[in-house]
Amino acid sequence: LPSGVDWALYGWVCYSQRRAVLEALDAPRYPAAIKRRARYLHPGIHLSANNVRDIIRLFRARGIVEPVHVAGRAHPSYALTAQGQVLQRLQWEGEARRP
């Protein structure tokens, strides 16, 4: 197991909607684009744009994502922080090990 990982935070992220949003953030995205990507990666998931915005708010409070302001756009995109990237990598590795 990797050292220096906040395992309580990792466990919190492992719920289906939060996990789908984390996996969808492979590049800076707007909430609507996060929703589309998450639905593509997890075809049966029930996820609305409001769910995504709520999850982004929770992720920001825990230091998992940060806003990325784009010139000429009124609303920010969101990208993973270093901590978010570690959690995403752990999530992908966990999925790869699953039989």
Side-chain angles (χ1 to χ4, degrees):
L1 291 175
S3 61
V5 175
D6 183 346
W7 292 107
L9 183 60
Y10 176 74
W12 178 83
V13 166
C14 285
Y15 289 94
S16 65
Q17 289 182 340
R18 290 178 228 163
R19 183 181 74 233
V21 169
L22 181 70
E23 290 176 5
L25 280 164
D26 55 351
R29 297 182 190 275
Y30 296 99
I34 294 168
K35 179 189 79 170
R36 284 191 300 274
R37 177 81 175 143
R39 284 183 170 178
Y40 173 78
L41 294 172
H42 300 273
I45 196 162
H46 297 288
L47 188 65
S48 70
N50 282 335
N51 293 136
V52 171
R53 283 188 284 277
D54 290 344
I55 291 168
I56 291 295
R57 192 175 307 113
L58 294 171
F59 279 8
R60 283 190 68 194
R62 288 167 175 81
I64 298 171
V65 299
E66 60 190 358
V68 177
H69 296 280
V70 179
R73 298 296 301 247
H75 301 288
S77 292
Y78 294 94
L80 293 173
T81 62
Q83 180 180 23
Q85 291 172 2
V86 168
L87 293 171
Q88 185 184 59
R89 193 171 341 135
L90 286 171
Q91 187 64 45
W92 285 339
E93 290 171 4
E95 291 291 322
R97 289 188 192 134
R98 201 179 280 182

